[in-house]
Amino acid sequence: MTRAATLIPGDGIGPEITAATLQVLDALGMRFDWDEQYGGMTAVDKAGTPLPNATLDSIRRTHLCLKGPLTTPVGGGYRSVNVTLRQEFDLYANVRPTKTIVPGGRFQHVDLVIVRENTEGMYVGLDHTFRIGGERRAMAQAMSIITRAGSERVCRYAFEYAKAHGRKKVTIVHKANILKATSGLFLDTGKRVAEAYAGTIACDDKIVDNTAMQLVIRPDQFDVIVTTNLFGDILSDLAAGLVGGLGLAPGANIGTAAAIFEAVHGSAPDIAGQGIANPSAQMLAAAMMLDHVGEGQAGNRLRGAVETAIVKDNVRTKDLGGSATTAEFARAVAHRA
Ligand code: NAI
Ligand code: MG
């Protein structure tokens, strides 16, 4: 039986990297019954709204989605569809692995996973401007919400992930020295969760600014990091930069009602339509989706094929210093799958 899944090709480079990914899944013999839907800019153009009901209904039905990047207007405009999807489907854990693939870079032994809380913190949408007395007196306020329950489930997810993937340590990243209430609650909850894993999974904690520096200086000291929404967003891009950039960084949004798999990067409007985007991140996201549905062997084969195409076959897109097109890279991975 083929499994039903929602497919959102997305905006910008989304359709290019999604087509490449489908080609490779096909070569692996992994069939999904894809229900293709729109989101983001593409959906505004086609349906007049960035997140059509048909897209939500599809995910409600399949509980499983492979998603391309969606463009979000900066400053004004509609609310991020990604953030809405995370809240709608309660996708509380954003899992972003970072591993050295390309040899010759600055860091050869990076192998860490960031688990980012995905529904609370600075992303709750309580961000507003006060209209009092004109431009010069402009004032804006954002609110961060942290709950014991929200912190507990994502920390527990991080420890369970560590256990399931043979990892040794979870680092709780916070700013509890300054944000004593919000970040303090997250840290306290994380430490309580850690007690249940004492003797199995080690636990330490680090302040976020120090973490940023430590990630750049000695990334191999990290194993699993669990942190709040905004810190996780920033640190996972940083981590991606350590190992060759966003073109290699996949992510999973795991929730109680669904799971959505996507690349960490955005729609890359600067290179959209040129056929030169690196589809690896989207392919690696598809590999995480295979793990999630119990096809871990196929997931491993897909990860291996991406690595072999890059390292052994030396087929690389421009972001990795090569000259391969998206389609050429997809063929190389399909050949190795
Ligand atoms: P971006 O990730 O789209 O691009 C940043 C830089 O990385 C650009 O120079 C781009 O060319 C390059 N890049 C990204 N992915 C690449 C790939 N696969 N291959 C080669 N080069 C790649 O970030 P940016 O420019 O800040 O955002 C563009 C749009 O994407 C915005 O509207 C933003 O809101 C949206 N976005 C959507 C996300 C999602 O749907 N999950 C995540 C992040 C941003
Ligand atoms: Mg981000």
Side-chain angles (χ1 to χ4, degrees):
M1 194 192 85
T2 52
R3 192 183 295 267
T6 305
L7 181 69
I8 306 175
D11 299 322
I13 60 171
E16 302 163 50
I17 59 176
T18 300
T21 301
L22 293 187
Q23 184 185 341
V24 168
L25 284 173
D26 212 43
L28 276 170
M30 284 291 120
R31 306 248 181 289
F32 287 89
D33 180 9
W34 294 112
D35 181 17
E36 189 170 332
Q37 298 288 343
Y38 302 115
M41 248 2 179
T42 312
V44 171
D45 293 344
K46 291 194 199 272
T49 165
L51 186 54
N53 281 329
T55 303
L56 288 169
D57 284 341
S58 174
I59 302 172
R60 280 185 196 117
R61 185 173 61 80
T62 63
H63 311 289
L64 189 66
C65 176
L66 181 64
K67 190 182 97 30
L70 306 177
T71 299
T72 309
V74 175
Y78 59 81
R79 182 151 191 248
S80 163
V81 173
N82 296 311
V83 174
T84 309
L85 283 173
R86 285 166 197 165
Q87 285 171 354
E88 175 73 28
F89 294 103
D90 203 21
L91 307 171
Y92 65 92
N94 186 195
V95 184
R96 296 179 161 184
T98 299
K99 190 169 178 284
T100 304
I101 293 181
V102 187
R106 241 176 348 134
F107 301 109
Q108 286 311 298
H109 305 290
V110 181
D111 183 7
L112 58 92
V113 180
I114 296 180
V115 178
R116 162 191 178 192
E117 200 293 318
N118 218 13
T119 56
E120 304 190 334
M122 294 298 292
Y123 288 68
V124 288
L126 301 173
D127 181 65
H128 34 237
T129 311
F130 295 95
R131 305 237 171 262
I132 33 165
E135 289 285 308
R136 286 177 61 83
R137 294 176 59 198
M139 184 164 98
Q141 179 191 42
M143 223 183 284
S144 165
I145 306 276
I146 301 287
T147 66
R148 174 78 73 191
S151 304
E152 187 175 329
R153 64 177 180 175
V154 75
C155 289
R156 198 171 294 286
Y157 186 91
F159 279 91
E160 284 299 320
Y161 181 97
K163 219 166 88 179
H165 292 81
R167 295 194 173 256
K168 305 272 180 288
K169 183 177 75 173
V170 174
T171 303
I172 306 164
V173 172
H174 61 90
K175 187 77 184 176
N177 51 329
I178 303 295
L179 304 170
K180 292 183 196 292
T182 47
S183 221
L185 178 56
F186 187 80
L187 174 60
D188 180 67
T189 308
K191 282 181 173 170
R192 288 192 199 184
V193 169
E195 283 168 17
Y197 298 85
T200 323
I201 310 285
C203 177
D204 63 0
D205 70 274
K206 266 195 179 51
I207 295 175
V208 63
D209 35 354
N210 181 32
T211 304
M213 183 192 68
Q214 296 289 336
L215 273 169
V216 171
I217 289 185
R218 206 162 62 76
D220 51 305
Q221 70 185 285
F222 294 99
D223 196 349
V224 176
I225 287 175
V226 65
T227 190
T228 45
N229 212 333
L230 181 60
F231 297 161
D233 186 21
I234 298 168
L235 291 181
S236 54
D237 269 36
L238 190 160
L242 297 175
V243 300
L246 286 170
L248 294 173
N253 299 283
I254 308 288
T256 48
I260 300 183
F261 299 83
E262 62 182 342
V264 169
H265 63 70
S267 55
D270 53 335
I271 57 166
Q274 299 177 28
I276 58 168
N278 184 354
S280 298
Q282 191 75 349
M283 290 175 182
L284 296 171
M288 293 180 84
M289 177 164 150
L290 291 172
D291 295 343
H292 181 79
V293 300
E295 297 283 357
Q297 266 187 340
N300 286 338
R301 267 172 60 210
L302 177 40
R303 278 181 286 267
V306 169
E307 190 165 339
T308 306
I310 294 173
V311 178
K312 281 219 183 89
D313 302 338
N314 206 17
V315 181
R316 298 182 191 188
T317 44
K318 199 171 155 207
D319 56 309
L320 297 180
S323 60
T325 63
T326 309
E328 283 162 356
F329 183 76
R331 272 196 295 279
V333 178
H335 180 70
R336 292 290 189 172

